[in-house]
C-alpha cells in the first residue's frame, strides 16, 4: 500500500523508497503539521539531490541550512531543524554505517528498539514511542514487546502519526490531538 502520511503523492513515494526519509519526517514532527513534517525528506531530496546520511552529515552547514530554509521550508524552524537533521544523519552514519534500517532491524526486543530510538537527536520518550508504533503499524517491524515499548500508541485508534494511512485517518488523528490538548488545558 505504501505511506500516505505526507498527503502529497511524490512525498509519500519518497517515504516508501527512502527509509531515512521516514526517520527525518518523525524528527521534524514537532510543532509542525504531521503531513508537512513527513514531506521533509522529499524536500531535501529534491534540493540536495540525495538522502544519503553521510552526504547530509558532511554538507556545509550554512549551505544546508539555506536549502532547508528555501520556501517551502522543511520546518517552521528550518535553521535549528537543519542542524538537527545533520546531527541525525551523522549519528546514522557513525553508529549504523549509514544504513538507517539497522536502527530497527537489529533489535530483538521492543525495549531495545525504544532505547535506540531515544538515542537519536530530538527523540524524547513520547516521540520514540510513536516511532516504534509507526514502525510496527506501517512497516511491520514488531520485535518482541514492541507494544509495551510503544505504550498507548500501540493501541488501535487514531492517536498519532503511526495511525495515519490516508487523508481521513490524518483528520481523525488531528481531532484526537486537539481533544487531548483541550482536555489538558481545561484540567490545568
Amino acid at each position: 500500500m505504501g505511506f500516505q502520511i505526507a498527503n502529497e503523492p511524490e512525498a509519500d513515494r519518497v517515504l516508501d523508497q527512502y527509509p531515512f526519509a521516514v526517520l527525518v519526517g518523525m524528527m521534524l514532527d514537532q510543532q509542525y503539521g504531521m503531513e508537512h513534517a513527513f514531506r521533509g525528506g522529499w524536500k531535501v531530496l529534491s534540493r540536495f539531490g540525495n538522502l544519503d546520511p553521510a552526504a547530509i552529515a558532511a554538507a556545509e552547514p550554512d549551505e544546508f541550512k539555506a536549502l532547508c530554509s528555501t520556501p517551502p521550508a522543511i520546518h517552521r524552524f528550518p535553521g535549528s531543524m537543519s542542524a538537527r537533521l545533520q546531527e541525525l544523519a551523522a549519528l546514522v552514519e557513525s553508529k549504523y554505517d549509514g544504513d538507517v534500517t539497522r536502527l530497527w532491524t537489529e533489535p530483538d526486543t521492543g525495549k531495545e528498539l525504544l532505547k535506540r530510538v531515544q538515542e537519536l537527536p530530538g527523540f524524547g520518550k513520547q516521540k520514540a514511542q510513536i516511532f516504534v508504533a509507526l514502525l510496527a503499524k506501517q512497516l511491520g517491524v514488531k520485535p518482541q514487546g514492541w507494544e509495551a515499548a510503544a505504550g498507548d500508541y500501540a493501541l488501535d485508534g487514531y492517536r498519532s502519526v503511526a495511525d495515519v494511512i490516508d487523508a481521513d485517518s490524518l483528520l481523525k488523528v488531528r481531532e484526537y490531538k486537539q481533544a487531548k490538548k483541550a482536555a489538558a488545558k481545561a484540567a490545568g
Side-chain angles (χ1 to χ4, degrees):
M1 181 170 103
F3 284 103
Q4 292 189 34
I5 296 173
N7 209 17
E8 163 65 53
E10 287 182 45
D12 283 324
R13 276 193 292 279
V14 169
L15 293 171
D16 291 337
Q17 294 170 5
Y18 297 89
F20 188 63
V22 178
L23 186 61
V24 169
M26 191 72 230
M27 184 205 74
L28 294 172
D29 188 13
Q30 170 183 329
Q31 298 180 326
Y32 198 47
M34 290 173 280
E35 67 275 24
H36 298 288
F38 279 84
R39 292 175 191 162
W42 169 56
K43 292 174 186 176
V44 171
L45 177 63
S46 64
R47 298 169 190 175
F48 189 64
N50 69 64
L51 281 173
D52 175 48
I56 291 171
E60 198 286 316
D62 288 335
E63 290 176 16
F64 192 72
K65 178 181 175 180
L67 81 83
C68 289
S69 301
T70 301
I74 65 164
H75 193 273
R76 64 189 274 203
F77 303 115
S80 61
M81 287 301 182
S82 68
R84 185 175 288 166
L85 174 50
Q86 286 194 284
E87 185 183 352
L88 178 69
L91 188 145
V92 169
E93 180 58 28
S94 66
K95 193 162 185 170
Y96 302 107
D97 298 317
D99 181 1
V100 71
T101 63
R102 288 182 51 204
L103 171 71
W104 57 78
T105 58
E106 292 178 350
D108 293 323
T109 66
K111 185 176 180 179
E112 183 184 346
L113 175 57
L114 181 66
K115 181 180 177 216
R116 282 180 171 216
V117 176
Q118 283 185 275
E119 292 172 350
L120 302 171
F123 282 74
K125 184 177 181 185
Q126 183 180 28
K127 183 178 281 208
Q129 287 180 306
I130 292 169
F131 193 64
V132 168
L134 184 144
L135 291 170
K137 292 178 176 185
Q138 304 228 15
L139 293 177
V141 175
K142 298 180 179 182
Q144 181 181 2
W146 77 267
E147 297 97 332
D152 285 350
Y153 299 106
L155 301 173
D156 288 337
Y158 302 99
R159 289 173 172 72
S160 74
V161 70
D163 301 307
V164 176
I165 56 167
D166 56 25
D168 186 50
S169 57
L170 175 71
L171 290 175
K172 289 178 181 176
V173 168
R174 185 162 283 129
E175 289 167 1
Y176 175 82
K177 287 180 158 195
Q178 288 170 345
K180 290 277 285 185
K181 281 184 183 176
K185 191 173 184 177

